[in-house]
Amino acid sequence: MKPTPLVLLHHSGGSAQVFAPLIAALPPTITPVPLELPGRGRRWREEPLTTAEAAVTDLAEQLPAAGVTGHFALFGHSMGAYLALALAAKLERDASPAQCTILFASANAGPQCAVPLFEGDPLQADDEDILRTGARFGGLDPQILAHEQLRQRTARVMRADFGVCDTFVRNLSHNVTESPLVVCYGTEDSFDQRQLTMWRCSSASTTDMAPFPGDHFYLTDQAPALADLITRRLTATVAQPA
C-alpha cells in the first residue's frame, strides 16, 4: 500500500519551514508534500502572487510535479487553510486526476464569517501597517524586524499574502468542498467557537473540531499530537491510491 500524500500549505508571510516539526513526526505511511508560493523558500527569487485566484492556480500546477496525481490529503495553516479549501474545490470542479479526500483546516476562522484584514487595498499599505497586522498573529522573528533588508523583504511577501487573503475573502469564501473537514486550532488563538464552527458551511461532508494547547502556531509544540490525529484520520477516511 502506497503512503498517502499530505499536501501542506503555509501561512501568510511564511514558508514550508513552519511544517518541519510536523513532517519529522509523521509516520512512513504518510508522505509530506510541502508546497510554497513564490517569493519565499526555494522560490524566493520569484515575484510573489497577490490574488487568491493566482495562488490556487499556482498550487494546482505544482501538484503533478510533486507526484500528487491521485487521492491525497490537504493540511493548510492560517492563509493555507483558505487556499486548501479553494484548491480542493477547484480540483473537484475540474475533475482533476488529483483529488483531496480529507482537508485539515488549521488556525483560521470559517471562510463564510471572515472579513478582509484591510478596509482598503493591502497592496497599498506601507511596511509598518503590514508588519503591525502580521504581528497580531505572532510568528514575526524579532531578528527579522531588527534587520532592515529582511524587514523590507518580509513586508513585501506579507503584503502580497494579505492580498491573497483579502481576495479569497472577497471572491472565494463561498467555496464548498466534498471532502470531510477537520478544523485544527490552538485553544489560545484569537478565534472563537462561532468563527471556528462556521467551517461547517464549507464542506458538503462532515466537519470535526480538533483543539490543541497553544496559540496561532500551536503546530510547532504540538507536532507529535497533530501527527497522531492526522494519521488516525487518514487511516480511517482516506482511500489509498492504487
Side-chain angles (χ1 to χ4, degrees):
M1 188 175 290
K2 293 181 180 178
T4 302
L6 175 65
V7 173
L8 302 163
L9 306 182
H10 58 76
H11 59 289
S12 297
S15 71
Q17 183 61 33
V18 73
F19 297 117
L22 175 60
I23 289 172
L26 290 171
T29 54
I30 299 173
T31 300
V33 184
L35 300 183
E36 289 181 313
L37 293 175
R40 77 223 65 216
R42 295 163 296 178
R43 305 181 69 185
W44 69 272
R45 289 186 176 87
E46 299 179 44
E47 189 67 23
L49 303 174
T50 59
T51 69
E53 293 85 350
V56 172
T57 297
D58 180 276
L59 294 168
E61 291 174 349
Q62 289 188 60
L63 292 177
V68 181
T69 56
H71 292 150
F72 70 99
L74 264 170
F75 183 100
H77 184 69
S78 196
M79 173 183 74
Y82 286 168
L83 294 181
L85 172 63
L87 176 60
K90 173 180 171 58
L91 296 174
E92 291 163 6
R93 289 193 304 269
D94 296 348
S96 169
Q99 290 290 321
C100 173
T101 52
I102 186 167
L103 193 160
F104 298 89
S106 171
N108 215 333
Q112 294 193 29
C113 72
V115 295
L117 290 169
F118 291 82
E119 290 186 7
D121 184 354
L123 302 182
Q124 301 303 316
D126 62 28
D127 286 1
E128 292 306 313
D129 281 345
I130 293 296
L131 295 172
R132 189 180 305 112
T133 300
R136 288 166 44 194
F137 303 99
L140 283 179
D141 190 331
Q143 292 182 341
I144 290 177
L145 299 179
H147 190 288
E148 186 58 30
Q149 186 175 4
L150 291 177
R151 183 185 178 91
Q152 291 177 2
R153 180 177 166 188
T154 299
R156 173 174 171 264
V157 172
M158 195 167 280
R159 180 182 293 106
D161 286 352
F162 287 161
V164 169
C165 292
D166 277 23
T167 53
F168 173 88
V169 171
R170 296 178 194 280
N171 304 331
L172 301 180
S173 61
H174 285 82
N175 272 247
V176 175
T177 179
E178 298 293 327
S179 301
L181 270 171
V182 180
V183 180
C184 305
Y185 62 96
T187 55
E188 298 170 31
D189 205 343
S190 60
F191 306 111
D192 61 34
Q193 284 299 306
R194 181 192 68 84
Q195 292 173 304
L196 294 166
T197 56
M198 279 297 291
W199 274 103
R200 294 193 174 110
C201 299
S202 299
S203 174
S205 184
T206 59
T207 302
D208 297 320
M209 300 290 134
F212 293 88
D215 57 17
H216 196 64
F217 289 94
Y218 73 91
L219 74 172
T220 300
D221 293 335
Q222 298 298 320
L226 180 58
D228 180 67
L229 168 74
I230 292 170
T231 302
R232 286 187 283 107
R233 290 304 305 259
L234 291 187
T235 300
T237 63
V238 174
Q240 297 289 339

